[in-house]
Amino acid sequence: MYRLYEFSSSGNCYKLRLAMAQLGVPFERVEKDITRGETRSDDFLAINPNGRIPVLVTPDGRTLPESNAALWYLARDSQLMPTDAFEQAQVLQWMFFEQYNHEPNIATSRYWLHVL
């Protein structure tokens, strides 16, 4: 079974929960409170030395930090991933747009307003 280390208020964590729900992928949620420094513990840093969430742990125990890398991994060979190479590149285009335009400009402000 997959395990998702997450902070439930995080949009990056939400998009992984949403994708796994849409794909019918069973997973265990492990909440880490970033406001309390829980991702800075030795135990968590052994999972992700970068100290950030989300982290997807695969059924065979491999760890995959970074939400879009985990989304790409989950979407492979599913209805969420087109088979055409150009359309796959367009998926990446939107993933990069989300991470580099939406996330720093909108999601960060949302975090400041609703979490801090």
Side-chain angles (χ1 to χ4, degrees):
M1 177 180 290
Y2 288 93
R3 180 178 301 126
L4 178 63
Y5 287 89
E6 65 164 344
F7 181 61
S8 59
S9 296
S10 163
N12 284 327
C13 297
Y14 172 72
K15 64 188 182 184
L16 283 172
R17 291 192 315 266
L18 180 61
M20 287 190 281
Q22 288 183 356
L23 293 169
V25 173
F27 65 100
E28 171 190 6
R29 294 171 66 178
V30 180
E31 183 77 12
K32 293 292 179 183
D33 190 337
I34 61 175
T35 66
R36 294 180 164 193
E38 292 180 1
T39 59
R40 302 294 179 205
S41 70
D42 290 340
D43 289 343
F44 187 79
L45 291 172
I47 296 166
N48 182 9
N50 196 18
R52 296 174 50 181
I53 48 93
V55 176
L56 182 67
V57 181
T58 63
D60 62 5
R62 294 179 293 171
T63 59
L64 192 52
E66 299 299 333
S67 59
N68 282 338
L71 282 175
W72 188 264
Y73 171 80
L74 290 167
R76 77 201 185 294
D77 302 324
S78 82
Q79 71 270 21
L80 297 179
M81 182 64 68
T83 56
D84 177 75
F86 185 81
E87 290 175 355
Q88 289 178 352
Q90 288 179 311
V91 170
L92 285 174
Q93 171 191 345
W94 282 110
M95 291 172 83
F96 294 148
F97 172 82
E98 178 272 331
Q99 201 64 38
Y100 297 112
N101 290 289
H102 167 77
E103 198 274 336
N105 297 308
I106 296 172
T108 301
S109 299
R110 177 188 162 275
Y111 174 80
W112 290 339
L113 292 171
H114 296 286
V115 177
L116 295 182

